[in-house]
Amino acid sequence: MALTIIGTMAFDAIETPFAKSEKTIGGSGTYCAYAATNFMHSVNQVSIVGGDFPDDVIKDLNGRGVNTEGVEIVQDKKSFFWSGKYHLDMNTRETLVTDLNVLADFNPTLPESYLNTEYLLLGNLVPAVQRSVINQLKARPKLIVLDTMNFWMETAMEDLKEVLKMVDVLVVNDSEARQLAEEYSLVKAAHKILAMGPKFLIVKKGEHGALLFNGQEIFCAPALPLEDVFDPTGAGDAFAGGFVGYLASTGNLSFENMKTAVVMGSVTASFCCEKLGTERLKTLTDQEIQQRAAQFVALTNFTLSCK
Amino acid sequence: MALTIIGTMAFDAIETPFAKSEKTIGGSGTYCAYAATNFMHSVNQVSIVGGDFPDDVIKDLNGRGVNTEGVEIVQDKKSFFWSGKYHLDMNTRETLVTDLNVLADFNPTLPESYLNTEYLLLGNLVPAVQRSVINQLKARPKLIVLDTMNFWMETAMEDLKEVLKMVDVLVVNDSEARQLAEEYSLVKAAHKILAMGPKFLIVKKGEHGALLFNGQEIFCAPALPLEDVFDPTGAGDAFAGGFVGYLASTGNLSFENMKTAVVMGSVTASFCCEKLGTERLKTLTDQEIQQRAAQFVALTNFTLSCK
């Protein structure tokens, strides 16, 4: 049940109304790996970092079952750096700095030991690189999950459409779904996107939860109403990592289990927001995850026959 | 189990990307009454209209079990008129015209037959008028539900706070909850608002559903994802009317049944958006309501044990 994750490993500088950090460990691949290893312990990581990336983070990931053979270290260059500032509503953020650094040359060759992966999570990256990773695999994985963003819709739509034909699940937020489908109604947008290739579409709506579309079926997962959102950075990646990690741990790809996986993704994302960076994802216990999942049941459960 | 509803009965001019109408029957009291009478048939209506208000609407309401003895008709004046235009996202609208007309003098005296009402729905109106209605009743109703809006928070906050102390359930949208509590976090805002008087708070979030707060408990109801929203006018009133109508029909005020009532409010609101004005609420059948409620179950139901 090995899961291969491709994504960035980076430094972030984050400013929220509640927290400020000049140099936090971040990157979509990092968040996905920490999230997924709360559910399973056989992850193959694909990424690129500079000589400045802390070795103890790599060792920490190794200790959680993450194989970092596929993480290229370019000693004389710097790691990818992103800096952002959140507004009071925490749903909108401003990107202050994006220094690609090593990421500018990222063109990964998968290690031999990765080539029979059963689950593949393509973190937000250049669509052509995402496609190259799929093409290197010896056999088609049981499940390919794709994360992407508006930037690639604006700069590499044709490449993105090619990748969409190759994947099982697309994960985007609501504005990205609308942009990709050129449809305001999310239901209409979902039908258009499902016709582009993926069998499942997940639309993340931040504090309003997430929608899962499959054929004519829809599942609506709430987000846990939080007293405070300390730092939402990486919540989307934590969602994707928790979602795929849970699926890989169960090996069940039915729509029913996809619904549970969406809830587990939301559970993971809710923890992610409680502390800065990846901190909270590192200390999570099985019991905490089960308790919070039970809160999601209580949050949405109702009966039609109270008369 | 009589339910007394106070609210406006009016003419609307509505423009949406899909529909346009110069003169539709509207008003919060009208929507609430049509919505509630899908669940029960003993409504006492309190409102004021001009000589121009169509008698056949009054007769139609009477036929649904709505007593209009408390609807004052001022023959030589015009009914309240509102005109609005929706933007493409359907979540934001612009008010083009508000002609108070008869509403400027609205100071209702309840008919004797209304004074023992068990359920009271105070539609969006001047808080002082809402309070005067409560004070006229002979006995405290089993349940008082209050709808209000940002306008009263800006112009009559002290009066509104007085009314809040007297009610059981407050229904507002998310931005109004934040404004009333002066808190961005909805969880913190809810706790502050519950400390102002109401035992239950319902926060409507449009296409993102609704939250029900009671003490430390939270319930999250989705909105039905719709292919098209034809006309969202009155959806909030339809929600309130369906919510209270269902509660009055069951007589059960437990938190468990409040959750079901929130779903029934969402069901009613989803129908309301399918046609212009009150049209869809008039033709609803029990079977349609039950079928849609079952859709809400399917939409949110998941199991934690698919392993």
mmCIF file of all heavy atoms in Angstrom, chain B residues 163-201:
data_model
loop_
_atom_site.group_PDB
_atom_site.id
_atom_site.type_symbol
_atom_site.label_atom_id
_atom_site.label_comp_id
_atom_site.label_asym_id
_atom_site.label_seq_id
_atom_site.Cartn_x
_atom_site.Cartn_y
_atom_site.Cartn_z
ATOM 1 N N VAL B 163 -35.102 43.042 22.810
ATOM 2 C CA VAL B 163 -35.911 41.954 22.241
ATOM 3 C C VAL B 163 -35.172 40.625 22.364
ATOM 4 O O VAL B 163 -35.778 39.589 22.654
ATOM 5 C CB VAL B 163 -36.260 42.240 20.758
ATOM 6 C CG1 VAL B 163 -37.152 41.125 20.194
ATOM 7 C CG2 VAL B 163 -36.962 43.572 20.628
ATOM 8 N N LEU B 164 -33.836 40.665 22.146
ATOM 9 C CA LEU B 164 -33.033 39.433 22.224
ATOM 10 C C LEU B 164 -33.198 38.732 23.570
ATOM 11 O O LEU B 164 -33.156 37.509 23.660
ATOM 12 C CB LEU B 164 -31.559 39.758 21.991
ATOM 13 C CG LEU B 164 -31.117 39.864 20.527
ATOM 14 C CD1 LEU B 164 -29.675 40.352 20.446
ATOM 15 C CD2 LEU B 164 -31.267 38.516 19.824
ATOM 16 N N LYS B 165 -33.379 39.521 24.635
ATOM 17 C CA LYS B 165 -33.542 38.950 25.975
ATOM 18 C C LYS B 165 -34.849 38.173 26.102
ATOM 19 O O LYS B 165 -35.022 37.374 27.015
ATOM 20 C CB LYS B 165 -33.540 40.066 27.035
ATOM 21 C CG LYS B 165 -32.196 40.734 27.230
ATOM 22 C CD LYS B 165 -32.293 41.832 28.295
ATOM 23 C CE LYS B 165 -31.036 42.691 28.274
ATOM 24 N NZ LYS B 165 -31.263 44.002 28.909
ATOM 25 N N MET B 166 -35.802 38.445 25.186
ATOM 26 C CA MET B 166 -37.148 37.889 25.321
ATOM 27 C C MET B 166 -37.397 36.672 24.438
ATOM 28 O O MET B 166 -38.481 36.087 24.497
ATOM 29 C CB MET B 166 -38.184 38.981 24.971
ATOM 30 C CG MET B 166 -38.010 40.265 25.779
ATOM 31 S SD MET B 166 -38.924 41.671 25.089
ATOM 32 C CE MET B 166 -40.539 41.386 25.808
ATOM 33 N N VAL B 167 -36.416 36.285 23.592
ATOM 34 C CA VAL B 167 -36.700 35.239 22.598
ATOM 35 C C VAL B 167 -35.918 33.952 22.865
ATOM 36 O O VAL B 167 -34.951 33.942 23.626
ATOM 37 C CB VAL B 167 -36.399 35.737 21.164
ATOM 38 C CG1 VAL B 167 -37.124 37.052 20.890
ATOM 39 C CG2 VAL B 167 -34.902 35.880 20.922
ATOM 40 N N ASP B 168 -36.351 32.863 22.205
ATOM 41 C CA ASP B 168 -35.696 31.562 22.350
ATOM 42 C C ASP B 168 -34.696 31.273 21.241
ATOM 43 O O ASP B 168 -33.673 30.649 21.471
ATOM 44 C CB ASP B 168 -36.759 30.451 22.339
ATOM 45 C CG ASP B 168 -37.777 30.640 23.430
ATOM 46 O OD1 ASP B 168 -37.394 30.575 24.609
ATOM 47 O OD2 ASP B 168 -38.950 30.908 23.114
ATOM 48 N N VAL B 169 -35.043 31.698 20.027
ATOM 49 C CA VAL B 169 -34.204 31.387 18.865
ATOM 50 C C VAL B 169 -33.955 32.666 18.075
ATOM 51 O O VAL B 169 -34.904 33.389 17.745
ATOM 52 C CB VAL B 169 -34.884 30.355 17.921
ATOM 53 C CG1 VAL B 169 -33.953 29.984 16.766
ATOM 54 C CG2 VAL B 169 -35.332 29.112 18.676
ATOM 55 N N LEU B 170 -32.692 32.941 17.757
ATOM 56 C CA LEU B 170 -32.371 34.044 16.848
ATOM 57 C C LEU B 170 -31.902 33.444 15.525
ATOM 58 O O LEU B 170 -31.077 32.525 15.512
ATOM 59 C CB LEU B 170 -31.257 34.925 17.430
ATOM 60 C CG LEU B 170 -30.733 36.009 16.465
ATOM 61 C CD1 LEU B 170 -31.809 37.048 16.149
ATOM 62 C CD2 LEU B 170 -29.479 36.678 17.024
ATOM 63 N N VAL B 171 -32.435 33.970 14.419
ATOM 64 C CA VAL B 171 -32.013 33.535 13.079
ATOM 65 C C VAL B 171 -31.380 34.721 12.361
ATOM 66 O O VAL B 171 -32.040 35.739 12.156
ATOM 67 C CB VAL B 171 -33.229 33.041 12.251
ATOM 68 C CG1 VAL B 171 -32.768 32.511 10.897
ATOM 69 C CG2 VAL B 171 -34.003 31.977 13.000
ATOM 70 N N VAL B 172 -30.097 34.598 12.022
ATOM 71 C CA VAL B 172 -29.402 35.667 11.275
ATOM 72 C C VAL B 172 -28.457 35.020 10.257
ATOM 73 O O VAL B 172 -28.240 33.815 10.292
ATOM 74 C CB VAL B 172 -28.563 36.593 12.203
ATOM 75 C CG1 VAL B 172 -29.448 37.545 12.972
ATOM 76 C CG2 VAL B 172 -27.675 35.780 13.142
ATOM 77 N N ASN B 173 -27.883 35.816 9.367
ATOM 78 C CA ASN B 173 -26.864 35.245 8.482
ATOM 79 C C ASN B 173 -25.476 35.441 9.104
ATOM 80 O O ASN B 173 -25.343 36.054 10.168
ATOM 81 C CB ASN B 173 -26.985 35.792 7.052
ATOM 82 C CG ASN B 173 -26.603 37.250 6.941
ATOM 83 O OD1 ASN B 173 -25.757 37.734 7.679
ATOM 84 N ND2 ASN B 173 -27.219 37.948 6.015
ATOM 85 N N ASP B 174 -24.453 34.893 8.469
ATOM 86 C CA ASP B 174 -23.120 34.898 9.088
ATOM 87 C C ASP B 174 -22.568 36.304 9.307
ATOM 88 O O ASP B 174 -22.009 36.591 10.364
ATOM 89 C CB ASP B 174 -22.123 33.997 8.322
ATOM 90 C CG ASP B 174 -22.216 34.133 6.815
ATOM 91 O OD1 ASP B 174 -23.062 34.903 6.323
ATOM 92 O OD2 ASP B 174 -21.428 33.459 6.128
ATOM 93 N N SER B 175 -22.758 37.199 8.323
ATOM 94 C CA SER B 175 -22.190 38.539 8.514
ATOM 95 C C SER B 175 -22.944 39.281 9.613
ATOM 96 O O SER B 175 -22.356 40.061 10.369
ATOM 97 C CB SER B 175 -22.173 39.323 7.198
ATOM 98 O OG SER B 175 -23.487 39.665 6.823
ATOM 99 N N GLU B 176 -24.243 39.026 9.741
ATOM 100 C CA GLU B 176 -25.015 39.661 10.818
ATOM 101 C C GLU B 176 -24.595 39.137 12.188
ATOM 102 O O GLU B 176 -24.511 39.889 13.161
ATOM 103 C CB GLU B 176 -26.512 39.435 10.581
ATOM 104 C CG GLU B 176 -27.051 40.234 9.400
ATOM 105 C CD GLU B 176 -28.354 39.699 8.815
ATOM 106 O OE1 GLU B 176 -28.801 38.601 9.216
ATOM 107 O OE2 GLU B 176 -28.904 40.377 7.937
ATOM 108 N N ALA B 177 -24.315 37.840 12.277
ATOM 109 C CA ALA B 177 -23.857 37.265 13.560
ATOM 110 C C ALA B 177 -22.537 37.915 13.966
ATOM 111 O O ALA B 177 -22.332 38.272 15.138
ATOM 112 C CB ALA B 177 -23.695 35.751 13.436
ATOM 113 N N ARG B 178 -21.643 38.066 12.994
ATOM 114 C CA ARG B 178 -20.340 38.690 13.287
ATOM 115 C C ARG B 178 -20.522 40.139 13.722
ATOM 116 O O ARG B 178 -19.867 40.615 14.637
ATOM 117 C CB ARG B 178 -19.451 38.616 12.039
ATOM 118 C CG ARG B 178 -18.962 37.201 11.780
ATOM 119 C CD ARG B 178 -18.153 37.059 10.501
ATOM 120 N NE ARG B 178 -17.494 35.765 10.516
ATOM 121 C CZ ARG B 178 -17.513 34.864 9.530
ATOM 122 N NH1 ARG B 178 -18.131 35.149 8.398
ATOM 123 N NH2 ARG B 178 -16.902 33.715 9.656
ATOM 124 N N GLN B 179 -21.437 40.849 13.030
ATOM 125 C CA GLN B 179 -21.669 42.258 13.365
ATOM 126 C C GLN B 179 -22.297 42.404 14.753
ATOM 127 O O GLN B 179 -21.883 43.251 15.548
ATOM 128 C CB GLN B 179 -22.582 42.863 12.295
ATOM 129 C CG GLN B 179 -22.815 44.358 12.468
ATOM 130 C CD GLN B 179 -23.541 44.968 11.270
ATOM 131 O OE1 GLN B 179 -23.682 44.325 10.219
ATOM 132 N NE2 GLN B 179 -23.983 46.204 11.422
ATOM 133 N N LEU B 180 -23.259 41.560 15.059
ATOM 134 C CA LEU B 180 -23.957 41.646 16.345
ATOM 135 C C LEU B 180 -22.995 41.379 17.506
ATOM 136 O O LEU B 180 -23.048 42.039 18.530
ATOM 137 C CB LEU B 180 -25.121 40.641 16.363
ATOM 138 C CG LEU B 180 -25.983 40.577 17.625
ATOM 139 C CD1 LEU B 180 -26.609 41.935 17.922
ATOM 140 C CD2 LEU B 180 -27.093 39.530 17.459
ATOM 141 N N ALA B 181 -22.103 40.390 17.326
ATOM 142 C CA ALA B 181 -21.213 39.989 18.417
ATOM 143 C C ALA B 181 -19.881 40.743 18.383
ATOM 144 O O ALA B 181 -19.110 40.673 19.337
ATOM 145 C CB ALA B 181 -20.949 38.487 18.329
ATOM 146 N N GLU B 182 -19.633 41.430 17.290
ATOM 147 C CA GLU B 182 -18.320 42.062 17.085
ATOM 148 C C GLU B 182 -17.193 41.043 17.250
ATOM 149 O O GLU B 182 -16.213 41.261 17.961
ATOM 150 C CB GLU B 182 -18.125 43.262 18.027
ATOM 151 C CG GLU B 182 -19.110 44.381 17.734
ATOM 152 C CD GLU B 182 -18.989 45.568 18.670
ATOM 153 O OE1 GLU B 182 -18.386 45.414 19.747
ATOM 154 O OE2 GLU B 182 -19.493 46.647 18.317
ATOM 155 N N GLU B 183 -17.347 39.898 16.607
ATOM 156 C CA GLU B 183 -16.374 38.794 16.657
ATOM 157 C C GLU B 183 -16.298 38.175 15.275
ATOM 158 O O GLU B 183 -17.339 37.873 14.696
ATOM 159 C CB GLU B 183 -16.871 37.687 17.600
ATOM 160 C CG GLU B 183 -16.519 37.821 19.036
ATOM 161 C CD GLU B 183 -15.040 37.651 19.359
ATOM 162 O OE1 GLU B 183 -14.251 37.214 18.484
ATOM 163 O OE2 GLU B 183 -14.683 37.970 20.504
ATOM 164 N N TYR B 184 -15.113 37.931 14.748
ATOM 165 C CA TYR B 184 -15.051 37.290 13.440
ATOM 166 C C TYR B 184 -15.328 35.780 13.518
ATOM 167 O O TYR B 184 -16.072 35.234 12.708
ATOM 168 C CB TYR B 184 -13.722 37.563 12.719
ATOM 169 C CG TYR B 184 -13.846 37.072 11.313
ATOM 170 C CD1 TYR B 184 -14.489 37.853 10.355
ATOM 171 C CD2 TYR B 184 -13.458 35.789 10.958
ATOM 172 C CE1 TYR B 184 -14.708 37.392 9.086
ATOM 173 C CE2 TYR B 184 -13.681 35.305 9.677
ATOM 174 C CZ TYR B 184 -14.304 36.113 8.746
ATOM 175 O OH TYR B 184 -14.535 35.636 7.500
ATOM 176 N N SER B 185 -14.741 35.123 14.509
ATOM 177 C CA SER B 185 -14.967 33.679 14.656
ATOM 178 C C SER B 185 -16.444 33.413 14.956
ATOM 179 O O SER B 185 -17.002 33.936 15.934
ATOM 180 C CB SER B 185 -14.100 33.127 15.793
ATOM 181 O OG SER B 185 -14.669 31.952 16.330
ATOM 182 N N LEU B 186 -17.086 32.595 14.128
ATOM 183 C CA LEU B 186 -18.515 32.333 14.333
ATOM 184 C C LEU B 186 -18.773 31.599 15.645
ATOM 185 O O LEU B 186 -19.824 31.776 16.264
ATOM 186 C CB LEU B 186 -19.083 31.524 13.162
ATOM 187 C CG LEU B 186 -19.356 32.308 11.872
ATOM 188 C CD1 LEU B 186 -19.926 31.386 10.804
ATOM 189 C CD2 LEU B 186 -20.309 33.475 12.118
ATOM 190 N N VAL B 187 -17.816 30.767 16.075
ATOM 191 C CA VAL B 187 -17.996 30.035 17.339
ATOM 192 C C VAL B 187 -17.985 31.029 18.505
ATOM 193 O O VAL B 187 -18.860 30.986 19.385
ATOM 194 C CB VAL B 187 -16.897 28.971 17.516
ATOM 195 C CG1 VAL B 187 -17.064 28.245 18.842
ATOM 196 C CG2 VAL B 187 -16.928 27.964 16.362
ATOM 197 N N LYS B 188 -17.020 31.938 18.492
ATOM 198 C CA LYS B 188 -16.987 32.966 19.555
ATOM 199 C C LYS B 188 -18.206 33.881 19.471
ATOM 200 O O LYS B 188 -18.789 34.257 20.495
ATOM 201 C CB LYS B 188 -15.712 33.792 19.413
ATOM 202 C CG LYS B 188 -14.457 33.072 19.862
ATOM 203 C CD LYS B 188 -13.297 34.045 19.852
ATOM 204 C CE LYS B 188 -12.025 33.364 20.338
ATOM 205 N NZ LYS B 188 -10.859 34.240 20.184
ATOM 206 N N ALA B 189 -18.572 34.253 18.249
ATOM 207 C CA ALA B 189 -19.744 35.125 18.062
ATOM 208 C C ALA B 189 -20.989 34.441 18.627
ATOM 209 O O ALA B 189 -21.788 35.069 19.326
ATOM 210 C CB ALA B 189 -19.937 35.446 16.580
ATOM 211 N N ALA B 190 -21.115 33.149 18.359
ATOM 212 C CA ALA B 190 -22.291 32.412 18.835
ATOM 213 C C ALA B 190 -22.365 32.429 20.360
ATOM 214 O O ALA B 190 -23.427 32.657 20.937
ATOM 215 C CB ALA B 190 -22.250 30.971 18.318
ATOM 216 N N HIS B 191 -21.237 32.203 21.011
ATOM 217 C CA HIS B 191 -21.259 32.195 22.478
ATOM 218 C C HIS B 191 -21.655 33.563 23.038
ATOM 219 O O HIS B 191 -22.413 33.654 23.996
ATOM 220 C CB HIS B 191 -19.903 31.735 23.017
ATOM 221 C CG HIS B 191 -19.634 30.281 22.711
ATOM 222 N ND1 HIS B 191 -18.384 29.746 22.637
ATOM 223 C CD2 HIS B 191 -20.498 29.262 22.443
ATOM 224 C CE1 HIS B 191 -18.473 28.460 22.330
ATOM 225 N NE2 HIS B 191 -19.742 28.152 22.208
ATOM 226 N N LYS B 192 -21.174 34.608 22.404
ATOM 227 C CA LYS B 192 -21.557 35.961 22.863
ATOM 228 C C LYS B 192 -23.054 36.202 22.663
ATOM 229 O O LYS B 192 -23.721 36.790 23.520
ATOM 230 C CB LYS B 192 -20.778 37.016 22.062
ATOM 231 C CG LYS B 192 -19.400 37.323 22.612
ATOM 232 C CD LYS B 192 -18.940 38.653 22.024
ATOM 233 C CE LYS B 192 -17.566 39.052 22.503
ATOM 234 N NZ LYS B 192 -17.093 40.284 21.841
ATOM 235 N N ILE B 193 -23.575 35.768 21.506
ATOM 236 C CA ILE B 193 -24.986 36.014 21.204
ATOM 237 C C ILE B 193 -25.885 35.186 22.133
ATOM 238 O O ILE B 193 -26.900 35.676 22.628
ATOM 239 C CB ILE B 193 -25.287 35.720 19.714
ATOM 240 C CG1 ILE B 193 -24.603 36.773 18.840
ATOM 241 C CG2 ILE B 193 -26.796 35.693 19.451
ATOM 242 C CD1 ILE B 193 -24.594 36.468 17.355
ATOM 243 N N LEU B 194 -25.488 33.943 22.407
ATOM 244 C CA LEU B 194 -26.290 33.115 23.318
ATOM 245 C C LEU B 194 -26.305 33.735 24.716
ATOM 246 O O LEU B 194 -27.281 33.580 25.461
ATOM 247 C CB LEU B 194 -25.757 31.676 23.356
ATOM 248 C CG LEU B 194 -25.920 30.869 22.047
ATOM 249 C CD1 LEU B 194 -25.314 29.483 22.188
ATOM 250 C CD2 LEU B 194 -27.389 30.774 21.618
ATOM 251 N N ALA B 195 -25.250 34.480 25.058
ATOM 252 C CA ALA B 195 -25.220 35.165 26.365
ATOM 253 C C ALA B 195 -26.134 36.387 26.383
ATOM 254 O O ALA B 195 -26.443 36.929 27.437
ATOM 255 C CB ALA B 195 -23.785 35.561 26.710
ATOM 256 N N MET B 196 -26.594 36.834 25.210
ATOM 257 C CA MET B 196 -27.485 38.004 25.129
ATOM 258 C C MET B 196 -28.949 37.635 25.364
ATOM 259 O O MET B 196 -29.803 38.516 25.423
ATOM 260 C CB MET B 196 -27.378 38.659 23.741
ATOM 261 C CG MET B 196 -26.027 39.301 23.449
ATOM 262 S SD MET B 196 -26.001 39.973 21.752
ATOM 263 C CE MET B 196 -24.283 40.492 21.633
ATOM 264 N N GLY B 197 -29.270 36.331 25.403
ATOM 265 C CA GLY B 197 -30.656 35.940 25.671
ATOM 266 C C GLY B 197 -31.127 34.668 25.017
ATOM 267 O O GLY B 197 -31.609 33.761 25.705
ATOM 268 N N PRO B 198 -30.998 34.543 23.666
ATOM 269 C CA PRO B 198 -31.574 33.352 23.013
ATOM 270 C C PRO B 198 -30.890 32.065 23.460
ATOM 271 O O PRO B 198 -29.683 32.053 23.686
ATOM 272 C CB PRO B 198 -31.321 33.579 21.518
ATOM 273 C CG PRO B 198 -30.680 34.891 21.378
ATOM 274 C CD PRO B 198 -30.376 35.461 22.707
ATOM 275 N N LYS B 199 -31.648 30.990 23.581
ATOM 276 C CA LYS B 199 -31.055 29.689 23.934
ATOM 277 C C LYS B 199 -30.474 29.018 22.689
ATOM 278 O O LYS B 199 -29.581 28.197 22.787
ATOM 279 C CB LYS B 199 -32.128 28.774 24.549
ATOM 280 C CG LYS B 199 -32.461 29.127 25.993
ATOM 281 C CD LYS B 199 -33.405 28.125 26.621
ATOM 282 C CE LYS B 199 -34.822 28.236 26.084
ATOM 283 N NZ LYS B 199 -35.516 29.498 26.436
ATOM 284 N N PHE B 200 -31.061 29.360 21.529
ATOM 285 C CA PHE B 200 -30.607 28.779 20.256
ATOM 286 C C PHE B 200 -30.243 29.906 19.287
ATOM 287 O O PHE B 200 -30.936 30.921 19.230
ATOM 288 C CB PHE B 200 -31.713 27.929 19.619
ATOM 289 C CG PHE B 200 -32.123 26.749 20.443
ATOM 290 C CD1 PHE B 200 -33.156 26.863 21.373
ATOM 291 C CD2 PHE B 200 -31.482 25.523 20.306
ATOM 292 C CE1 PHE B 200 -33.546 25.778 22.141
ATOM 293 C CE2 PHE B 200 -31.857 24.436 21.073
ATOM 294 C CZ PHE B 200 -32.891 24.559 21.999
ATOM 295 N N LEU B 201 -29.182 29.663 18.519
ATOM 296 C CA LEU B 201 -28.812 30.612 17.468
ATOM 297 C C LEU B 201 -28.691 29.834 16.173
ATOM 298 O O LEU B 201 -28.004 28.801 16.110
ATOM 299 C CB LEU B 201 -27.462 31.273 17.789
ATOM 300 C CG LEU B 201 -26.830 32.064 16.635
ATOM 301 C CD1 LEU B 201 -27.655 33.299 16.285
ATOM 302 C CD2 LEU B 201 -25.390 32.454 16.968
#
